[in-house]
Short mmCIF file of all heavy atoms in Angstrom, two decimals:
data_model
loop_
_atom_site.label_atom_id
_atom_site.label_comp_id
_atom_site.label_asym_id
_atom_site.label_seq_id
_atom_site.Cartn_x
_atom_site.Cartn_y
_atom_site.Cartn_z
N PRO V 154 52.93 41.19 3.80
CA PRO V 154 52.90 40.46 2.53
C PRO V 154 51.78 39.42 2.52
O PRO V 154 51.41 38.85 3.58
CB PRO V 154 54.28 39.79 2.47
CG PRO V 154 54.74 39.72 3.87
CD PRO V 154 54.17 40.90 4.57
N LEU V 155 51.23 39.15 1.35
CA LEU V 155 50.17 38.17 1.23
C LEU V 155 50.76 36.76 1.29
O LEU V 155 51.92 36.55 0.89
CB LEU V 155 49.43 38.35 -0.10
CG LEU V 155 48.65 39.66 -0.24
CD1 LEU V 155 47.98 39.72 -1.64
CD2 LEU V 155 47.58 39.77 0.83
N PRO V 156 50.00 35.81 1.78
CA PRO V 156 50.50 34.41 1.85
C PRO V 156 50.74 33.86 0.45
O PRO V 156 50.08 34.24 -0.52
CB PRO V 156 49.38 33.67 2.56
CG PRO V 156 48.16 34.50 2.35
CD PRO V 156 48.62 35.92 2.31
N PRO V 157 51.69 32.93 0.32
CA PRO V 157 51.99 32.40 -1.02
C PRO V 157 50.93 31.49 -1.60
O PRO V 157 50.84 31.33 -2.80
CB PRO V 157 53.30 31.63 -0.78
CG PRO V 157 53.27 31.26 0.67
CD PRO V 157 52.55 32.37 1.36
N LEU V 158 50.13 30.84 -0.74
CA LEU V 158 49.11 29.91 -1.20
C LEU V 158 47.76 30.39 -0.75
O LEU V 158 47.44 30.38 0.43
CB LEU V 158 49.39 28.52 -0.68
CG LEU V 158 48.39 27.40 -1.06
CD1 LEU V 158 48.34 27.24 -2.58
CD2 LEU V 158 48.75 26.08 -0.39
N ILE V 159 46.94 30.84 -1.69
CA ILE V 159 45.59 31.31 -1.40
C ILE V 159 44.62 30.70 -2.40
O ILE V 159 45.00 30.31 -3.51
CB ILE V 159 45.49 32.85 -1.44
CG1 ILE V 159 46.00 33.40 -2.77
CG2 ILE V 159 46.26 33.47 -0.28
CD1 ILE V 159 45.89 34.89 -2.89
N PHE V 160 43.33 30.60 -1.99
CA PHE V 160 42.31 29.94 -2.79
C PHE V 160 41.26 30.95 -3.25
O PHE V 160 41.02 31.95 -2.58
CB PHE V 160 41.61 28.81 -2.01
CG PHE V 160 42.58 27.83 -1.38
CD1 PHE V 160 42.50 27.55 -0.03
CD2 PHE V 160 43.51 27.19 -2.17
CE1 PHE V 160 43.38 26.64 0.54
CE2 PHE V 160 44.40 26.29 -1.60
CZ PHE V 160 44.34 26.02 -0.24
N ARG V 161 40.67 30.66 -4.38
CA ARG V 161 39.55 31.47 -4.86
C ARG V 161 38.36 31.30 -3.92
O ARG V 161 38.01 30.18 -3.53
CB ARG V 161 39.17 31.06 -6.27
CG ARG V 161 38.09 31.94 -6.89
CD ARG V 161 37.91 31.64 -8.35
NE ARG V 161 37.29 30.33 -8.55
CZ ARG V 161 36.00 30.15 -8.66
NH1 ARG V 161 35.16 31.19 -8.58
NH2 ARG V 161 35.47 28.95 -8.86
N GLY V 162 37.75 32.39 -3.57
CA GLY V 162 36.66 32.37 -2.58
C GLY V 162 37.14 32.57 -1.14
O GLY V 162 36.31 32.65 -0.23
N GLU V 163 38.43 32.64 -0.94
CA GLU V 163 38.96 32.78 0.42
C GLU V 163 38.85 34.25 0.86
O GLU V 163 38.94 35.17 0.06
CB GLU V 163 40.43 32.34 0.44
CG GLU V 163 41.06 32.32 1.85
CD GLU V 163 42.46 31.73 1.84
OE1 GLU V 163 42.86 31.19 0.79
OE2 GLU V 163 43.13 31.84 2.88
N THR V 164 38.65 34.45 2.16
CA THR V 164 38.60 35.79 2.76
C THR V 164 39.89 36.03 3.50
O THR V 164 40.26 35.23 4.38
CB THR V 164 37.40 35.91 3.73
OG1 THR V 164 36.19 35.67 2.99
CG2 THR V 164 37.34 37.29 4.32
N LEU V 165 40.59 37.13 3.17
CA LEU V 165 41.86 37.45 3.76
C LEU V 165 41.77 38.70 4.60
O LEU V 165 40.95 39.59 4.34
CB LEU V 165 42.93 37.65 2.68
CG LEU V 165 43.34 36.41 1.87
CD1 LEU V 165 44.42 36.79 0.86
CD2 LEU V 165 43.85 35.30 2.77
N LYS V 166 42.64 38.79 5.58
CA LYS V 166 42.79 39.97 6.41
C LYS V 166 44.23 40.47 6.27
O LYS V 166 45.19 39.72 6.46
CB LYS V 166 42.49 39.64 7.88
CG LYS V 166 42.85 40.75 8.85
CD LYS V 166 42.70 40.29 10.29
CE LYS V 166 43.21 41.35 11.25
NZ LYS V 166 43.13 40.89 12.66
N VAL V 167 44.35 41.74 5.91
CA VAL V 167 45.67 42.36 5.72
C VAL V 167 45.71 43.66 6.53
O VAL V 167 44.77 44.45 6.52
CB VAL V 167 45.93 42.66 4.22
CG1 VAL V 167 47.29 43.31 4.05
CG2 VAL V 167 45.87 41.38 3.42
N THR V 168 46.80 43.86 7.23
CA THR V 168 46.96 45.06 8.03
C THR V 168 48.11 45.90 7.48
O THR V 168 49.03 45.39 6.84
CB THR V 168 47.27 44.72 9.50
OG1 THR V 168 48.45 43.93 9.56
CG2 THR V 168 46.10 43.95 10.11
N GLY V 169 48.00 47.21 7.70
CA GLY V 169 49.05 48.13 7.24
C GLY V 169 49.15 49.31 8.18
O GLY V 169 48.25 49.62 8.95
N ARG V 170 50.29 49.98 8.08
CA ARG V 170 50.52 51.19 8.89
C ARG V 170 51.02 52.31 7.97
O ARG V 170 51.80 52.07 7.04
CB ARG V 170 51.62 50.93 9.96
CG ARG V 170 51.13 50.12 11.15
CD ARG V 170 52.26 49.93 12.14
NE ARG V 170 51.83 49.19 13.35
CZ ARG V 170 51.36 49.79 14.42
NH1 ARG V 170 51.27 51.12 14.48
NH2 ARG V 170 50.97 49.09 15.48
N VAL V 171 50.53 53.49 8.27
CA VAL V 171 51.02 54.69 7.60
C VAL V 171 52.14 55.27 8.43
O VAL V 171 51.94 55.55 9.63
CB VAL V 171 49.89 55.71 7.38
CG1 VAL V 171 50.41 56.95 6.66
CG2 VAL V 171 48.75 55.07 6.59
#
Side-chain angles (χ1 to χ4, degrees):
L155 294 178
L158 180 60
I159 54 179
F160 308 126
R161 185 171 70 92
E163 186 174 351
T164 301
L165 293 181
K166 170 188 174 183
V167 179
T168 59
R170 286 180 177 269
V171 180

